Amino acid sequence: MSPRVLVVDDEDAIRALVAAALRARQYEVHTAANGREALNVVAEWLPQFVLLDVNMPVLDGYGFARGLCELGIKLRICIMTATPDPAGAAAEIGAEAYLRKPFTLPELYAMVSRIAEAA
């Protein structure tokens, strides 16, 4: 069974690129443009892990993480962020890893492989 990944980012180009790159590696991928959409996807399609942007309109990464807790859902999360302190943001959200934007496809593949193997 292919690992199930939810990609959450408000930038269409990043969301599409990450989704296409993961599908090319045989991952099953769903996408969402913000935290609210992502919570709806999680409710219908439980992913094994989430690649999550931190700063988004409607509901940001922090709100998404709080929403998961309120629903009693635990998911592995890797944040994708341009914030100056990605480790701090990851810790605050409860993410186990981060990718600093801009990131390369090899960096993405390495991070996703590591999380998928741990799951």
Side-chain angles (χ1 to χ4, degrees), residues 40-94:
N40 290 334
V41 171
V42 167
E44 295 176 16
W45 183 80
L46 191 62
Q48 289 171 297
F49 61 93
V50 180
L51 294 174
L52 178 69
D53 187 15
V54 174
N55 296 314
M56 298 176 286
V58 183
L59 186 63
D60 63 12
Y62 301 98
F64 170 78
R66 280 191 304 276
L68 285 180
C69 286
E70 289 168 7
L71 294 170
I73 297 172
K74 292 208 180 268
L75 290 176
R76 302 177 86 91
I77 297 174
C78 173
I79 63 169
M80 304 179 293
T81 185
T83 187
D85 181 17
E92 192 172 335
I93 284 179

